[in-house]
Amino acid sequence: MKLNHIYHGDCVDVMRTFPEGVIDLTVTSPPYDNLRTYKGYTFNFEEIAKELYRVTKDGGVVVWIVGDATIKGSETGTSFKQALFFKEIGFNLHDTMIWNKGGFSAVGALRVRYAPVFEYMFILSKGKPKTFNPIKDRENKWAGTPNHGTVRQADGSMKPVSNNNTIPKYGQRFNIWEVSPHRHRGEDKHPAMFPEQLAQDHILSWSNPGDIVLDPMCGSGTTCKMAKLNGRNYIGIDIAEEYVELARRRVGEVE
């Protein structure tokens, strides 16, 4: 296994060459439900999931970002099926987060449903997560006043928070993140580039400097780029040679 390297190949085949329990964090947004063409390649989800479990350290985390296509008026439910399969093979479904894109592209029949603006971000852990560095950038409207919150008890009653601390200016972020999608530029060659902020925020949340961050379907290399930028080791894998070249170029631009 080579650190700080982007492999060209099928991710299942490449991961099978890795030792067991070596990856601290995986952040990936795989192609799903044929919503984007991917050079004609297909992916064996169940084999990918099994290899991710094998190579993830105890306490490691997989961030799996997916959505669902709508076919003949019904959403596929592929995202839920995948989350449940991850649980079947041993992962904990630690959290179901939402990526709010803040807008939508011209898909779906808006005459019969609301515009789709989000994807699921399943936080899957191998046992209890060993790392959580919460991002605290949510502005508190009650900042500067005494803590006056309550906690609901098992019998339904409310118990006041048992401290007299002053509410800080910023609180811990909730699990719905609003991040604008990547805006394509002339040099972009990938159909669905991952937003750098989204990758970075997960890397900061679930890993520490020096950890190993994997993206087994790395596409344009955003996860690898942001891992390097934030002092983590990275491993990327992609089956399309054109995307591997793009990813290596983007990561190489990071000093």
Side-chain angles (χ1 to χ4, degrees), residues 140-157:
N140 284 317
K141 64 179 180 179
W142 299 105
T145 65
N147 196 335
H148 54 270
T150 57
V151 178
R152 186 176 297 278
Q153 304 300 296
D155 62 1
S157 63

Side-chain angles (χ1 to χ4, degrees), residues 14-208:
V14 175
M15 284 192 289
R16 283 175 176 160
T17 68
F18 295 174
E20 183 175 340
V22 291
I23 304 298
D24 296 285
L25 172 65
T26 295
V27 179
T28 192
S29 183
Y32 58 86
D33 278 352
N34 299 318
L35 288 177
R36 297 285 189 277
T37 58
Y38 206 86
K39 303 294 182 182
Y41 297 112
T42 58
F43 300 88
N44 187 327
F45 162 71
E46 293 190 357
E47 292 303 311
I48 293 171
K50 290 175 183 176
E51 279 305 303
L52 283 175
Y53 186 81
R54 188 186 68 82
V55 301
T56 298
K57 290 181 180 178
D58 290 339
V61 166
V62 172
V63 180
W64 188 261
I65 304 175
V66 288
D68 295 301
T70 298
I71 300 175
K72 295 182 179 180
S74 177
E75 293 185 356
T76 60
T78 299
S79 58
F80 299 110
K81 295 174 185 175
Q82 291 182 347
L84 292 173
F85 184 78
F86 276 119
K87 290 188 66 175
E88 288 177 10
I89 63 173
F91 279 107
N92 293 333
L93 181 53
H94 182 68
D95 196 2
T96 300
M97 298 180 65
I98 296 294
W99 170 24
N100 178 5
K101 301 178 181 180
F104 71 100
S105 56
V107 295
L110 300 185
R111 292 173 297 177
V112 297
R113 63 176 58 87
Y114 294 106
V117 297
F118 75 92
E119 292 185 14
Y120 296 102
M121 302 190 292
F122 295 115
I123 311 302
L124 306 149
S125 62
K126 192 170 181 179
K128 180 181 178 181
K130 61 183 177 63
T131 301
F132 179 49
N133 306 309
I135 298 172
K136 297 182 178 181
D137 59 1
R138 177 180 55 82
E139 191 166 359
N140 284 317
K141 64 179 180 179
W142 299 105
T145 65
N147 196 335
H148 54 270
T150 57
V151 178
R152 186 176 297 278
Q153 304 300 296
D155 62 1
S157 63
M158 304 300 292
K159 180 181 179 181
V161 173
S162 60
N163 65 62
N164 296 315
N165 294 338
T166 300
I167 296 175
K169 183 176 181 179
Y170 294 102
Q172 186 168 312
R173 187 184 292 187
F174 296 145
N175 67 352
I176 297 177
W177 292 0
E178 183 168 339
V179 179
S180 297
H182 176 87
R183 303 301 179 189
H184 284 270
R185 301 170 298 186
E187 69 270 23
D188 293 347
K189 297 180 181 180
H190 191 276
M193 291 181 72
F194 198 40
E196 292 184 354
Q197 181 188 336
L198 198 65
Q200 174 171 271
D201 288 354
H202 278 300
I203 289 167
L204 294 175
S205 296
W206 308 108
S207 71
N208 293 315

